[in-house]
Amino acid sequence: GFQIFDRHQRPLKLTDAGNEFLQAARQILHEVEQSIELGQRLSRGEKGRLNIGINTSIANSKLPEILRAFHDKFPEVELILQELASYEQIDKLRNKKIDLGFFHRHNLDNINHNNDNFFSFIPVIQESLVIVLPENHRFARRTSISLAALANEQFILPPNNLLYNLREQINSLCLDAGFKPKVKQEAAWISTVLSLVAGGMGISLLPANVQNLQRHGVIYRSIQGKSPLLELVAVWRSDNVSIILKNFLEVISNLA
């Protein structure tokens, strides 16, 4: 519908309209090439985003190492991290609001067993419980302490409604040692528990990753004898076929 070449000249030259058409055509071809490259990168999981739920345990342990390793391999993938309690992560996984969650495996026990195949998981770390004491506690000079020696202590523990299985394990451990813990205060956040212990309100039992938090006024001691191992896992929906998720899980597996 318009003249591209000026045929009255030799050699042939483009008309003004032809020249504009050439520039536009070149731009279109360039954009097609870019689109193909983008599609290839997306198909390899080299670009995009991943929504991840995290808790205190992974944040205080393997998370920095996992993030560095993944960013080194896939620098253009955006990782969206959300600090969430375990039950919130499970709910968001079900509703496809996050792609992956990090929490302790015992929280999967609360899930309806009729949906066993709904979630998949891989282990990340195993950790024991440690005793958290005020720095001036009478047992401060000991390197390890028996639970039986804590029978008359006041405890600061997580509430049942948030961390039921952890609280249940602590209660069971103390009962095996011959006493039921005297709970003076409940606190949902690790930082709050540490502050209350530092303030001399009581002692606590917490996952060992808490030792990575350098909180002034508290000390950490190991439990004499047998202590349960808490398994931290990475959990995702079994029907999630995202290549970015697959790449992230490979990084976790290599570091676990």
Side-chain angles (χ1 to χ4, degrees):
F2 63 93
Q3 191 172 358
I4 294 177
F5 295 101
D6 181 354
R7 299 182 180 276
H8 296 97
Q9 298 188 47
R10 290 293 182 269
L12 288 179
K13 288 186 178 181
L14 292 170
T15 62
D16 289 344
N19 189 59
E20 287 296 321
F21 181 72
L22 175 61
Q23 301 307 316
R26 284 175 172 163
Q27 181 62 32
I28 289 169
L29 291 175
H30 177 65
E31 290 176 358
V32 169
E33 290 173 356
Q34 285 187 318
S35 298
I36 292 171
E37 182 183 352
L38 176 61
Q40 291 172 339
R41 295 177 68 192
L42 287 168
S43 72
R44 295 192 297 264
E46 295 174 0
K47 197 173 182 65
R49 66 168 53 188
L50 196 68
N51 293 293
I52 302 170
I54 61 172
N55 65 1
T56 302
S57 289
I58 190 65
N60 290 340
S61 55
K62 279 281 186 181
L63 184 62
E65 190 178 355
I66 291 170
L67 295 181
R68 282 195 301 269
F70 185 79
H71 182 71
D72 286 345
K73 293 186 71 174
F74 305 100
E76 294 191 54
V77 173
E78 185 180 8
L79 299 179
I80 311 297
L81 304 179
Q82 302 179 46
E83 290 183 284
L84 300 166
S86 301
Y87 70 92
E88 292 178 298
Q89 292 191 46
I90 291 170
D91 181 63
K92 285 183 178 289
L93 282 168
R94 284 191 184 281
N95 293 303
K96 300 184 178 182
K97 293 182 178 179
I98 61 173
D99 301 296
L100 182 81
F102 287 101
F103 48 87
H104 287 101
R105 182 175 175 177
H106 56 242
N107 289 289
L108 290 173
D109 296 339
N110 291 334
I111 296 175
N112 188 331
H113 291 293
N114 293 329
N115 293 325
D116 281 346
N117 295 326
F118 191 82
F119 292 119
S120 298
F121 66 90
I122 56 173
V124 181
I125 58 169
Q126 285 187 328
E127 57 181 349
S128 61
L129 292 172
V130 294
I131 301 169
V132 187
L133 303 171
E135 62 182 0
N136 60 353
H137 195 276
R138 67 184 187 281
F139 293 151
R141 293 182 178 276
R142 301 185 184 183
T143 56
S144 63
I145 305 165
S146 69
L147 283 178
L150 306 176
N152 295 319
E153 298 287 334
Q154 300 289 324
F155 280 79
I156 316 289
L157 293 178
N160 273 322
N161 62 330
L162 285 182
L163 295 171
Y164 174 75
N165 282 289
L166 176 59
R167 179 70 173 268
E168 188 178 40
Q169 287 194 43
I170 291 172
N171 288 338
S172 176
L173 198 62
C174 292
L175 287 173
D176 288 345
F179 70 97
K180 183 177 180 179
K182 301 172 183 177
V183 180
K184 183 174 183 179
Q185 180 73 47
E186 292 184 339
W189 300 104
I190 297 296
S191 58
T192 305
V193 174
L194 296 179
S195 293
L196 295 176
V197 173
M201 289 190 64
I203 69 170
S204 190
L205 292 174
L206 293 173
N209 70 80
V210 73
Q211 296 174 99
N212 292 326
L213 299 177
Q214 300 301 313
R215 179 64 169 84
H216 179 70
V218 302
I219 56 174
Y220 307 105
R221 296 293 181 261
S222 60
I223 300 172
Q224 281 183 5
K226 187 178 180 181
S227 172
L229 288 178
L230 305 177
E231 187 174 35
L232 186 68
V233 293
V235 184
W236 68 97
R237 294 188 319 277
S238 300
D239 64 352
N240 191 335
V241 296
S242 163
I243 186 64
I244 297 177
L245 174 62
K246 178 177 177 292
N247 291 340
F248 194 78
L249 291 171
E250 286 181 0
V251 169
I252 296 172
S253 297
N254 291 335
L255 295 175

